[in-house]
Structures are given as C-alpha cells and as structure tokens.
Amino acid sequence: MSPVWLPWGGSAGGQYSSTLRSSFSSRSQSNGVDPKASLYQPLAKKDFGTLRGSGWAPPAGGGGAFLGLGEHSSRAPSVRSLAESGHHLGEPRAMEMYNGHSTLLGHHAGGFDDIDLPSAVKYLIASDPNLQVLGAAYLQHKCYSDSSAKKQARSLQAMPKLVKLFNSPNQEVQRHATGAMRNLIYDNAENKLALVEENGIYELMRTLREPDDELRKNVTGILWNLSSSDNLKDRLARDTLEQLTDLVLVPLSGLGASGVIQQNPSEAEIFYNSTGFLRNLSSASQQTRQKMRECHGLVDSMIHYVNSSLEVGKSEDKSVENAVCVLRNLSYRLYDEMPPSSLQRLEGHRRNAGGTVTGELVGCFSPQSKKAREHYLNADIVTFTEVSKDPKGMEWLWNPQIVGIYNRLLQRCELNKHTTEAASGALQNITAGDRRWAGVLSRLALEQERILNPVLDRVRTADHHQLRSLTGLIRNLSRHARNKDEMSTKVVSHLIEKLPGSVGDKAPPADVIVNIIAVLNNLVVESPMAARDIVYFDGLRKLFFIKKRRDSSDNEKSSRAAASLLGNMWQYTKLHRDFKMKGYRKEDFLSL
C-alpha cells in the first residue's frame, strides 16, 4: 500500500459548532476493557471469564463542555467471544489412534479390562517400553472424559512419571505419554499446575524439536490447553515464545525461506494449536503483551499468514481467526504501551502533551505563522512516509498497511464472524484515543481504504458481539473524520435503525447503544446535516425513549448519553420548527 499524506488536523466546525461540544457526562474510569482473559479463549468450556463492558471516560484535558465531560474514543474490549457467543472450540484432547492404526498394542477398549489405573501408572516406570506405552495408552483412554480418573491419576503421581517420558528414546512412548498428558490436563486446572510444577514446560519445548508431526501436535495441544489458565499465561510466555516462534510459527506461516504457506494436514493442526495458544497468551498482562510484541518473528508470522491466506482465498481459515485475534489483543492499549521512541516518532514534535502546537521557534518565525505551519506540514509528511516503509515486528501493529489488511478481512471473510469481529476490534484499538496517530489511521481508513461501506455492511447483519466492536470503530472514525456531513449521510440511518424505540423492541446491549449515540453526537456537533437526518429517520422518538428509560445502571448510562445528544441538537435553531411539528418542546431537549 503506497503511503498517502493525511493532514493531522480535523475539519473546521460548521456554522453552529461554536455552541456545541462533543461530550457526555461520565463517571467511568476506562475507555476499554483490560484483556485479562482474552480475545476468543478457544479452550475449555469452564475456562472462560467474564466480559466487562467499556464505558464513558473522563476528559483528556481542561476546558468547558456542554452537558458533560470530554468524550474519548473507545478501545475494543478484549472479547471473550467464545464464552459469550457459544462458539466453543473445546480444549484439544488426544485421540487413541495415530495414522489410522491402533497403537494400543492390540488392545481395543475391551482389552483394557484387565488393567486398572494404579497398574497403568506403575507401567509408566517399567523398563519395557511396551509396558510404558500400554500404561500411557490406558491413561489416555481412561482420562478422555472421566474427571474422577484425572484426579486419581494425579494422586497416584502419574504427572511426574509422564513428564519423564516426554523425551524417551522410544517415539511411541513419547507419543502416548504426551497424548495421555493432553487428556489429563483437559479442563483440569490442578493437573495443569502439576504439569508446570514438574518442569513440564521445559520438557515439552525439548520434545517440540522432534521431527515427528504426531508428537508436535500433542505438544502444541498441551500448550494450548495450559494457556487457558490465567495464572499460567505469564510463565508460559516467558518460557515458550521464542522457541515456539522459531520452531513452528516462522516455518509454517510461510515467513521462512519459501515465502509461501506449505502445510500438510498435520502441520496445519500444529500451526492451529500454536496460534490458539498465542491467542490465549495475548489476553494476559501488559508484560506478556509486550513480550509477545517484542518476540522476534511473532508478529511478522501472524501478518504474513493472514496476508498469504487472503491472497489465496482462505480468509475463513481457523488459524487466520486465531492470528487476527492475536493482533487485536496486541493492539490493545497500543499507544500507551509502545516504546517511547516509537511513540515520539509517530507523534512528531508539533504537538505537546495537551495536543497544542509547541511554542518553539522555527528559524526566525513564530509557530503560528504560515511558514511555521508549512514546516510542520512537511515534517508530518516525512513522518508518515517513513513509518509506512518496510515494517518489522511490532511496527506492523501501527503501520498504515495494517488498515488495508483488516479492511480486506472485513470484505472477504463472509462466514467466520469471529475473524471479522477481531478485525474491527483491532481497527477500533488503533483508532482510539487522543494520539495523533489514531487520527491519522482513522482518516486513512475513511479516505483511502473507504472502509465505511464494508463496516456498515457488517452492521446490518451483526450480532451483539460484532456490534460492540463495529460501533466502537465507527465511534472513533466519527471523532476523527474531516467531513462530518459526508459521514452523516452514510451512517445516521443505519445506526438509528439499531436503536430501540419502544418497550417491545429488541435492543442491543447498553454499550452498543452508548456507542451509537456517541457517533451521532460526534457528527451533530459539527454537522447540521446529521441533526436533520436524525429527525428524518425517526431518531427523535427513539432518543427520547432511551432518555426516559432509567430502570437500570446500564440504561442510566444510555439515558445520559441520549440527553446530551438531544441537548446538542436543540442548538440548531433552524430545526426547532421540525422539532415542534413532531410534538417536542425546548424543555424536552434540555431537561436531564
């Protein structure tokens, strides 16, 4: 994508903008959601957490505001979408077959009748590898769905015995030991912790170096299962990321020497397990997010895999879903957590912390002069051009080219709603906040990528989970858009349609309603056309319904938002006649 210059400043306000403020009152402390357990945890049915909704933010700076405090852009929450949407992938468990042939030494399920769990655990320390295989195979079979067997096996000290077999000289022993462990830790937090405490992570990473696909499938499946436990994520990131990236991500993503994705079915599963593992880790702490961003080859592998899959028409691929979820989580709080040198480069020297032009002199002219403005303009062009060139590693997360990748996902991925939700959430993250670069990427998305139509196409059919990220993105775009009139003509009718207007209407979640009203408010403060369209598309009736509905804390938030928007709409005196024709008075608009 060739770089395109986008001026940093916003457009001038309309004829009424001096009396309006893009603002709502709020007592919330955050624009986003801490991805404490994140984006699409594709693991155990019981290993999910709860989603905390985003809310109103306090103002970034001083200054008066009409009917409230300064309104910030919103960040995408790190969505637990699998838990919320019923999209359960389940932790991967080991089966009892390899390559279509039984490896249970001739024992079918009935052949285990003469073995019990204590005997199987004893077999693990036998000198005969055939007995070790039999013991591990029994554990693998018995613990596939029996939770009590998993607890009993741990009490019999099966965990340390299996760990010692991970790197047995006998490959069949390795396969069955890792297969048994994969089932033992499935949906069992105590067994996961026991594996880690027995130096299991170190032994697993040693095993991952073996050139055996079945073994590598088990190892990456175990890692994926482990990563569903929040208390293990930071340690897993510390002990696995570099090796996993070198051994799996780089070669199987196509980032290596070939430059193209060449995976056999087993390698596809290994890569899928590995990206599921990363997807969970990316939901951990700021420290782990930063470690992942800085891990050489990790972000590049995710980008290369997504890009290559788009080129060959595989946007629905499940590993693409995992990769985009990783990118979304790594873009959370990006401008707050990126290296200071990178942030300074993006922000440039023309603005201070308060967002105003710096006071330093340029040569012998003042910063308010025409020559000073031209100087800053030229400096900004240089910045944009430099940032756009040859991104590497975490630079991809804020590079202008990433906007085009997310846009293509929104347009080409028709069936996998989790991928498009992650793409819109990632866009929401990189366009959020007061940073200059958030505005740059917003205007690039609107003006070069023409992203509004694909986003609105998604809004029409989106479920509630998708609507959160889609409306959050539109909220950010509306804040940074230069031409509010043009944006108003495209979005107002679609967003008004999603708002409830009576008790019987099916309403989206409160945070979606708040996002929609925030978009409308961002447009109304500079565009009389937006206010006119709200009236034309029956928005007043819906806004007054939302304003009057205060029967819960969530409805209280949307009520305050609607009251602020209606107060701003009253400032358009030319519309007072239309308001009165619909039966509304000044008191209706200005009362809280």
Side-chain angles (χ1 to χ4, degrees):
M1 184 179 75
S2 58
V4 172
W5 164 241
L6 294 170
W8 311 115
S11 60
Q15 57 180 315
Y16 304 97
S17 63
S18 62
T19 61
L20 304 174
R21 298 290 186 272
S22 176
S23 59
F24 298 127
S25 61
S26 165
R27 295 182 182 178
S28 173
Q29 296 179 347
S30 172
N31 276 324
V33 175
D34 187 355
K36 187 174 181 180
S38 162
L39 224 192
Y40 305 160
Q41 290 249 63
L43 290 174
K45 294 183 284 293
K46 296 179 182 178
D47 283 335
F48 301 108
T50 57
L51 172 68
R52 290 176 286 166
S54 60
W56 299 107
F66 181 65
L67 290 178
L69 302 178
E71 203 266 319
H72 284 198
S73 306
S74 65
R75 291 193 192 95
S78 192
V79 183
R80 307 297 291 278
S81 21
L82 297 183
E84 298 290 326
S85 66
H87 176 66
H88 297 286
L89 296 183
E91 290 189 20
R93 285 181 280 189
M95 302 301 291
E96 296 179 336
M97 305 287 287
Y98 287 117
N99 300 321
H101 302 289
S102 174
T103 55
L104 303 183
L105 302 181
H107 288 261
H108 50 78
F112 285 130
D113 289 344
D114 57 342
I115 306 175
D116 57 15
L117 208 56
S119 299
V121 174
K122 287 181 181 179
Y123 288 161
L124 298 178
I125 56 175
S127 58
D128 184 352
N130 290 330
L131 288 176
Q132 293 176 340
V133 168
L134 181 59
Y138 180 82
L139 284 167
Q140 181 175 330
H141 163 75
K142 188 69 174 174
C143 295
Y144 183 76
S145 58
D146 188 339
S147 58
S148 63
K150 297 176 187 180
K151 182 177 180 180
Q152 184 183 1
R154 184 176 72 252
S155 69
L156 292 168
Q157 297 299 305
M159 307 297 287
K161 295 178 175 63
L162 286 171
V163 169
K164 289 179 180 178
L165 297 180
F166 285 175
N167 288 287
S168 164
N170 184 296
Q171 191 173 80
E172 284 300 305
V173 173
Q174 288 182 289
R175 286 180 171 184
H176 281 85
T178 52
M181 185 63 77
R182 190 169 171 179
N183 288 350
L184 270 164
I185 69 171
Y186 173 81
D187 201 16
N188 190 298
E190 292 83 2
N191 284 357
K192 291 173 186 175
L193 183 60
L195 169 60
V196 172
E197 290 177 343
E198 293 296 336
N199 204 30
I201 298 176
Y202 173 77
E203 295 298 331
L204 285 170
M205 300 315 293
R206 282 183 62 201
T207 310
L208 191 61
R209 296 182 178 276
E210 296 287 334
D212 178 73
D213 283 351
E214 296 299 331
L215 192 55
R216 284 156 62 90
K217 280 196 288 187
N218 274 345
V219 171
T220 53
I222 290 171
L223 291 175
W224 191 1
N225 288 356
L226 287 173
S227 68
S228 69
S229 294
D230 286 346
N231 61 321
L232 298 178
K233 289 178 181 178
D234 289 345
R235 180 168 179 175
L236 286 165
R238 183 192 68 196
D239 294 343
T240 68
L241 282 180
E242 293 180 3
Q243 295 180 73
L244 186 72
T245 300
D246 292 340
L247 296 172
V248 177
L249 300 181
V250 170
L252 296 188
S253 68
L255 187 64
S258 66
V260 295
I261 301 171
Q262 295 177 326
Q263 299 177 352
N264 62 40
S266 290
E267 288 173 333
E269 184 176 339
I270 292 165
F271 189 76
Y272 177 53
N273 290 345
S274 300
T275 55
F277 170 71
L278 294 180
R279 179 172 170 169
N280 284 347
L281 290 195
S282 65
S283 73
S285 63
Q286 175 181 341
Q287 179 183 1
T288 290
R289 281 199 302 275
Q290 199 61 23
K291 189 171 184 63
M292 293 180 71
R293 292 173 185 139
E294 294 172 353
C295 181
H296 181 73
L298 192 154
V299 174
D300 304 84
S301 297
M302 298 297 97
I303 294 289
H304 192 276
Y305 187 83
V306 172
N307 240 336
S308 299
S309 298
L310 281 168
E311 289 173 3
V312 298
K314 292 186 177 180
S315 60
E316 310 288 352
D317 180 82
K318 298 299 291 183
S319 290
V320 168
E321 175 189 324
N322 282 343
V324 181
C325 292
V326 171
L327 294 172
R328 171 177 176 168
N329 279 355
L330 296 186
S331 69
Y332 177 76
R333 295 186 61 84
L334 180 61
Y335 302 121
D336 296 332
E337 297 174 2
M338 68 195 307
S341 58
S342 298
L343 182 61
Q344 185 178 31
R345 183 184 180 198
L346 296 182
E347 292 297 292
H349 298 284
R350 68 189 290 263
R351 295 176 186 268
N352 60 23
T356 58
V357 177
T358 60
E360 67 177 286
L361 296 180
V362 182
C364 57
F365 47 85
S366 75
Q368 302 302 321
S369 70
K370 181 178 179 181
K371 287 187 177 181
R373 289 193 298 271
E374 289 176 353
H375 170 85
Y376 290 123
L377 181 65
N378 292 333
D380 288 343
I381 294 174
V382 171
T383 300
F384 188 86
T385 303
E386 288 180 350
V387 171
S388 301
K389 290 179 181 177
D390 193 25
K392 290 183 175 62
M394 76 171 82
E395 293 175 358
W396 269 111
L397 298 173
W398 61 79
N399 190 273
Q401 295 179 58
I402 197 69
V403 178
I405 294 174
Y406 295 142
N407 191 17
R408 281 187 290 156
L409 284 166
L410 290 175
Q411 295 183 54
R412 299 181 190 180
C413 187
E414 297 293 335
L415 303 176
N416 192 330
K417 64 182 182 180
H418 306 287
T419 299
T420 55
E421 182 182 352
S424 59
L427 283 164
Q428 183 184 355
N429 281 338
I430 63 177
T431 58
D434 297 319
R435 302 288 188 183
R436 181 175 69 163
W437 204 249
V440 171
L441 295 184
S442 295
R443 289 185 285 275
L444 183 146
L446 286 170
E447 297 172 15
Q448 177 173 325
E449 291 294 336
R450 305 289 180 185
I451 205 168
L452 203 51
N453 286 337
V455 169
L456 291 174
D457 285 341
R458 295 288 172 185
V459 167
R460 294 186 186 99
T461 58
D463 60 25
H464 292 170
H465 309 291
Q466 292 170 294
L467 278 176
R468 284 189 174 96
S469 58
L470 290 166
T471 56
L473 171 59
I474 299 172
R475 177 177 175 179
N476 293 345
L477 297 177
S478 68
R479 185 165 182 258
H480 295 294
R482 271 193 291 255
N483 192 330
K484 299 289 199 292
D485 284 345
E486 180 183 1
M487 190 169 184
S488 298
T489 60
K490 294 180 179 180
V491 308
V492 169
S493 61
H494 297 294
L495 297 184
I496 290 292
E497 184 180 352
K498 295 294 180 181
L499 294 177
S502 62
V503 175
D505 287 353
K506 186 177 180 180
D511 51 353
V512 172
I513 294 175
V514 168
N515 276 343
I516 290 173
I517 296 175
V519 173
L520 299 175
N521 196 69
N522 286 341
L523 297 175
V524 162
V525 295
E526 292 188 24
S527 170
M529 192 174 295
R532 183 205 65 185
D533 285 350
I534 289 173
V535 177
Y536 181 81
F537 290 107
D538 197 27
L540 285 181
R541 177 180 64 87
K542 293 187 172 186
L543 289 172
F544 278 112
F545 169 75
I546 294 168
K547 178 183 175 181
K548 294 175 183 176
R549 190 178 58 168
R550 298 188 172 188
D551 54 344
S552 69
S553 59
D554 283 342
N555 287 343
E556 180 71 26
K557 293 176 184 176
S558 54
S559 172
R560 290 199 303 268
S564 295
L565 173 55
L566 289 167
N568 282 344
M569 288 183 67
W570 181 257
Q571 306 305 313
Y572 289 100
T573 56
K574 291 183 178 180
L575 293 176
H576 286 183
R577 181 179 178 183
D578 295 319
F579 298 158
K580 291 176 182 177
M581 287 178 63
K582 291 186 175 292
Y584 299 110
R585 303 167 301 164
K586 177 179 180 181
E587 292 75 17
D588 297 323
F589 284 86
L590 299 184
S591 63
L592 296 177

